[in-house]
């Protein structure tokens, strides 16, 4: 971990109580069972390798792929604007963009 932002990400992960002490990375050797917080929906996962917590994996994927990072940003914007995400949604029409801006403007006005 050489980058300052990577160190900050791991620090934030380690002190965030919502992760309940989960590890950001977990190395599995010799076919041991992967911990429940890293295996997703699988009841048991016996594997070998290095696994990342899903939130860390998403951050890593965004660093590796600018296209994926932009896709994630579009999904977050859509979630904030409409309260839901459709992972198959790729682009907004002009009307969707205008509605999204108005929705966010109204929310900001309510906050202040």
């Amino acid at each position: 971990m050489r980058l300052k932002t990577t160190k900050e990400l791991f620090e934030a992960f380690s002190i965030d109580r919502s992760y309940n002490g989960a590890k950001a990375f977990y190395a599995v050797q010799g076919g041991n069972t992967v911990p429940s917080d890293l295996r997703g929906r699988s009841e048991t996962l016996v594997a070998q390798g290095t696994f990342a917590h899903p939130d860390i994996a998403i951050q890593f994927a965004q660093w590796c792929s600018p296209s994926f990072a932009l896709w994630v940003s579009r999904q977050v914007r859509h979630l904030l604007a409409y309260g839901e995400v459709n992972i198959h949604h790729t682009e907004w029409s002009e009307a969707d963009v205008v509605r999204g801006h108005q929705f966010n403007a109204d929310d900001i006005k309510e906050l202040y």
Side-chain angles (χ1 to χ4, degrees):
M1 290 189 292
R2 295 183 309 190
L3 296 176
K4 180 182 178 203
T5 54
T6 303
K7 292 175 184 175
E8 290 170 348
L9 174 66
F10 283 102
E11 176 65 21
F13 184 90
S14 69
I15 61 175
D16 189 321
R17 292 183 181 179
S18 65
Y19 293 111
N20 293 323
K23 293 182 179 181
F25 282 98
Y26 191 85
V28 178
Q29 298 177 347
N32 293 324
T33 302
V34 176
S36 61
D37 59 323
L38 296 178
R39 69 175 172 248
R41 295 182 188 150
S42 176
E43 287 294 321
T44 60
L45 177 61
V46 177
Q48 184 170 335
T50 302
F51 299 86
H53 186 279
D55 291 351
I56 297 296
I58 290 169
Q59 291 292 317
F60 180 67
Q62 289 181 85
W63 178 74
C64 290
S65 170
S67 295
F68 180 72
L70 292 172
W71 180 85
V72 169
S73 293
R74 284 193 304 272
Q75 300 308 311
V76 170
R77 281 195 341 256
H78 194 87
L79 175 62
L80 294 173
Y82 303 106
E84 64 183 11
V85 173
N86 176 352
I87 62 170
H88 303 292
H89 179 78
T90 56
E91 295 299 326
W92 295 349
S93 68
E94 185 63 30
D96 291 337
V97 171
V98 170
R99 278 195 308 273
H101 287 300
Q102 187 58 48
F103 179 83
N104 288 334
D106 292 344
D107 279 353
I108 290 169
K109 286 177 191 172
E110 288 178 19
L111 291 173
Y112 300 98

